[in-house]
């Protein structure tokens, strides 16, 4: 039951984040970089959930992300639906490897993990559309648009942890709250 | 990792590969369903954003006057947009009066729409509007304002549609330059190219075109059925900012007629009147 509450809370949070991101304008001072917090939220779930729940979350997050960003031009899909599921599964596997540290109270592993996953996700997206278009290229703007969302996501990661700490006493979710209990002690 | 977990991972990846093999139409249908689900959230968010924006501007007028003013503004924009198409069609009609298909060219029906959100992705330039197939919108219909072309619809849901902006690299528009015989393909610039993100490039011009800054660029209006045949002829696209001759062709940088980063009210060309 606790796991179900945790899973659905995270699923709702990811859904709302996808909606809210639509209203955040590009950050001009960061070369038009966007706020992209979905991988950060997914990583939090992957760090704290059992394996099968993480896989379900990867399917859900990947599908939602692809549906939100699907771009069809003249009958051609630039990035096919489903590729994000594969990417999130790999992120989840990586995060799961770090779960023992997270459970032991090292909550901060979520911060670099969020940075890496966000940047890798955007970089992969960029590589795929570049190949679809006129071939790969790289410039300062592309670098900013990949790195800045990662840094922003990493900045938000402790806030998510704090929010879960506040909510945990009420719902005991998402799942394994031992790290949070230790911190609270 | 246990054997069961490995099997689960393989099954999920196979499932994802199966999903990725869906056709574009099936994917668009799924996306339309997703758009319908998030639509209430987007509309609420859009309304809140507008209210906050209005408060920020410090505009405090009587509700009734404000509503009336909004209606008049919308009507004015619609008339101006209609006028532009009338003017362009009139000019074209006078040239092609004897052409056999002139009857097919008629005045377009404009459907007012509002941009409810902008794509949160870093790589695409799209917006979502509050009109869908229930309002008569179909995919690949031009979207414009009284100032000029904005883009074209791609995925169409029940009450929402996605509009691919002309500043996107993948949106190609057959174009002609005022005061010359030059024709080319207008598209968005690659990410990070140019000083302004919404600047566009007009390619495949002749090397000797020698276009001057300020020359206007309009849609060419290639026959329907081709990849560039979505847009009617004569819609204003933007003005030439600079021109450079390249080894094989000429390229002009074009400033869009519409400020795509701030535009809020648009019209969808849903057909002939």
């Amino acid at each position: 039951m606790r796991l179900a509450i945790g899973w659905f809370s995270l699923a709702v949070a990811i859904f709302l984040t996808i909606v809210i991101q639509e209203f955040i304008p590009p950050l001009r001072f960061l070369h038009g970089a966007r706020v992209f917090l979905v991988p950060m939220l997914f990583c939090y779930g992957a760090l704290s959930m059992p394996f099968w729940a993480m896989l379900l979350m990867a399917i859900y997050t990947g599908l939602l992300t692809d549906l939100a960003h699907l771009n069809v031009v003249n009958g051609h899909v630039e990035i096919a639906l489903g590729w994000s599921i594969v990417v999130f599964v790999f992120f989840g596997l990586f995060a799961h490897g770090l779960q023992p540290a997270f459970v032991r109270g090292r909550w901060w592993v979520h911060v670099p993990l969020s940075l890496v996953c966000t940047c890798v996700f955007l970089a992969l997206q960029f590589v795929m559309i570049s190949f679809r278009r006129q071939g790969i290229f790289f410039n300062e703007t592309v670098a900013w648009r990949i790195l800045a969302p990662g840094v922003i996501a990493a900045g938000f990661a402790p806030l998510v942890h704090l929010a879960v700490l506040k909510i945990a006493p009420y719902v005991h979710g998402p799942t394994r709250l031992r790290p949070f209990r230790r911190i609270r002690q | 990792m246990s054997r069961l977990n490995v099997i689960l991972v393989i099954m999920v990846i196979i499932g994802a590969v199966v999903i990725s093999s869906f056709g574009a139409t099936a994917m668009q249908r799924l996306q339309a369903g997703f758009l319908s689900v998030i639509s209430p959230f987007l509309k609420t968010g859009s309304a809140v954003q507008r209210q906050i924006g209005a408060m920020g501007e410090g505009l405090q007028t009587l509700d009734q006057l404000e509503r009336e003013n909004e209606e008049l503004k919308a009507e004015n924009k619609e008339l101006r947009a209609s006028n532009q198409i009338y003017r362009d069609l009139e000019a074209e009609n006078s040239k092609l009066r004897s052409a056999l298909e002139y009857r097919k060219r008629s005045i377009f029906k404009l459907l007012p729409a509002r941009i409810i959100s902008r794509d949160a992705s870093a790589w695409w330039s799209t917006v979502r509007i509050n009109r869908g197939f229930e309002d008569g919108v179909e995919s690949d219909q031009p979207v414009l304002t009284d100032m000029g072309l904005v883009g074209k619809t791609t995925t169409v849901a029940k009450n929402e549609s996605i509009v691919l902006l002309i500043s996107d690299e993948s949106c190609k528009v057959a174009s002609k330059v005022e005061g010359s015989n030059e024709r080319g393909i207008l598209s968005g610039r690659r990410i990070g190219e140019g000083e302004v993100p919404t600047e566009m490039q007009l390619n495949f011009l002749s090397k000797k075109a020698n276009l001057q800054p300020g020359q206007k660029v309009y849609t060419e209006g290639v026959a329907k059925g081709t990849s560039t045949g979505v847009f009617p002829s004569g819609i204003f696209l933007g003005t030439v900012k600079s021109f450079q001759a390249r080894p094989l062709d000429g390229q002009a940088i074009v400033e869009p007629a519409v400020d795509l980063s701030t535009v809020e009210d648009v019209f969808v060309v849903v057909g002939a009147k």
Side-chain angles (χ1 to χ4, degrees):
Chain A
M1 187 62 189
R2 287 174 187 172
L3 175 61
I5 292 171
W7 197 95
F8 281 107
S9 304
L10 194 61
V12 169
I14 286 172
F15 179 84
L16 291 177
T17 302
I18 286 174
V19 174
I20 291 165
Q21 280 172 177
E22 300 266 330
F23 297 102
I24 303 174
L27 308 168
R28 298 269 173 242
F29 62 99
L30 294 175
H31 291 253
R34 307 296 300 245
V35 175
F36 186 47
L37 301 176
V38 173
M40 182 269 289
L41 288 174
F42 170 76
C43 287
Y44 196 82
L47 281 168
S48 56
M49 284 178 180
F51 194 82
W52 64 270
M54 177 277 288
L55 278 183
L56 275 181
M57 188 54 74
I59 295 169
Y60 171 81
T61 313
L63 203 58
L64 241 57
T65 309
D66 280 347
L67 286 171
H69 295 154
L70 190 74
N71 196 28
V72 184
V73 184
N74 300 325
H76 298 289
V77 183
E78 287 210 300
I79 297 180
L81 207 65
W83 87 278
S84 297
I85 296 175
V86 178
V87 175
F88 278 113
V89 165
F90 281 103
F91 288 167
L93 290 173
F94 186 59
H96 229 254
L98 297 171
Q99 199 178 59
F102 187 73
V103 171
R104 279 201 298 273
R106 294 189 180 115
W107 63 269
W108 50 263
V109 294
H110 180 225
V111 177
L113 187 68
S114 301
L115 189 143
V116 171
C117 290
T118 307
C119 293
V120 168
F121 186 90
L122 290 170
L124 287 173
Q125 239 183 7
F126 174 72
V127 168
M128 287 173 82
I129 59 164
S130 294
F131 278 128
R132 274 261 172 196
R133 294 180 178 181
Q134 296 170 30
I136 197 148
F137 70 101
F138 196 78
N139 57 36
E140 196 188 345
T141 304
V142 172
W144 275 102
R145 288 193 186 185
I146 290 171
L147 291 173
V151 174
I152 292 167
F156 272 93
L159 298 180
V160 171
H161 183 70
L162 273 175
V164 174
L165 273 182
K166 293 283 178 196
I167 299 166
Y170 303 103
V171 292
H172 290 277
T175 51
R176 301 168 187 181
L177 289 167
R178 275 195 296 163
F180 315 136
R181 286 199 197 113
R182 280 190 184 184
I183 289 164
R184 286 169 71 82
Q185 281 161 12
Chain B
M1 195 159 54
S2 72
R3 188 178 290 176
L4 177 68
N5 286 350
V6 173
I7 292 168
L8 281 174
V9 169
I10 292 170
M11 279 171 66
V12 170
I13 290 173
I14 290 171
V17 171
V18 169
I19 293 171
S20 69
S21 66
F22 288 175
T25 316
M27 287 187 193
Q28 274 188 304
R29 223 173 283 149
L30 282 170
Q31 194 184 28
F34 174 71
L35 269 182
S36 299
V37 172
I38 65 167
S39 166
F41 298 95
L42 291 180
K43 282 177 182 164
T44 309
S46 177
V48 170
Q49 201 177 33
R50 271 167 192 275
Q51 276 182 351
I52 292 170
M55 279 166 65
E57 285 167 14
L59 293 172
Q60 288 188 338
T61 56
L62 291 170
D63 283 354
Q64 207 175 4
L65 280 173
E66 196 177 34
R67 216 170 22 245
E68 193 181 333
N69 190 30
E70 285 298 316
E71 281 170 13
L72 286 170
K73 273 183 185 170
E75 193 182 355
N76 185 33
K77 282 183 179 177
E78 188 173 358
L79 288 170
R80 284 171 71 182
S82 297
N83 270 348
Q84 192 190 341
I85 290 175
Y86 282 132
R87 197 171 55 243
D88 294 331
L89 283 176
E90 197 181 333
E92 195 178 357
N93 272 348
S94 65
K95 276 192 274 180
L96 303 172
R97 199 171 291 276
S98 58
L100 193 65
E101 287 188 10
Y102 84 97
R103 283 168 193 270
K104 290 180 184 172
R105 297 191 180 272
S106 57
I107 309 308
F108 295 101
K109 193 175 168 186
L110 299 177
L111 178 73
R114 179 164 281 186
I115 291 173
I116 51 174
S117 73
R118 290 164 196 278
D119 194 336
S121 117
W123 315 121
W124 294 284
S125 301
T126 59
V127 294
R128 307 195 197 306
I129 56 170
N130 64 344
R131 300 287 188 177
F133 60 74
E134 268 200 349
D135 307 292
V137 179
E138 294 171 12
S139 62
D140 283 340
Q141 283 181 328
V143 177
L144 44 81
T145 70
D146 53 322
M147 305 296 285
L149 189 68
V150 171
K152 63 175 178 178
T153 56
T154 55
T155 300
V156 180
K158 193 178 172 189
N159 292 307
E160 309 73 32
S161 303
I162 295 177
V163 177
L164 180 70
L165 299 178
I166 50 169
S167 58
D168 191 284
E169 192 189 339
S170 60
C171 188
K172 316 257 187 224
V173 187
S175 316
K176 60 189 174 189
V177 183
E178 178 193 54
S180 76
N181 290 323
E182 290 300 324
R183 282 159 173 78
I185 301 291
L186 185 88
S187 65
R189 302 188 78 181
R190 303 207 85 178
I191 296 152
E193 282 182 355
E195 296 155 18
V196 186
T198 53
E199 266 179 5
M200 301 177 291
Q201 54 190 3
L202 181 56
N203 291 321
F204 310 116
L205 300 165
S206 88
K207 281 198 288 184
K208 295 174 185 170
N210 195 25
L211 301 181
Q212 298 302 314
Q215 278 186 280
K216 290 180 176 175
V217 182
Y218 294 92
T219 52
E220 167 77 341
V222 179
K224 189 127 186 163
T226 64
S227 60
T228 49
V230 172
F231 306 103
S233 173
I235 300 176
F236 186 33
L237 290 165
T239 48
V240 173
K241 190 179 174 189
S242 62
F243 173 79
Q244 62 164 342
R246 299 190 296 188
L248 295 175
D249 67 348
Q251 184 194 53
I253 302 303
V254 177
E255 274 184 291
V258 181
D259 186 352
L260 298 168
S261 56
T262 58
V263 64
E264 289 184 343
D265 296 304
V266 295
F267 299 98
V268 185
V269 180
V270 288
K273 265 182 183 167

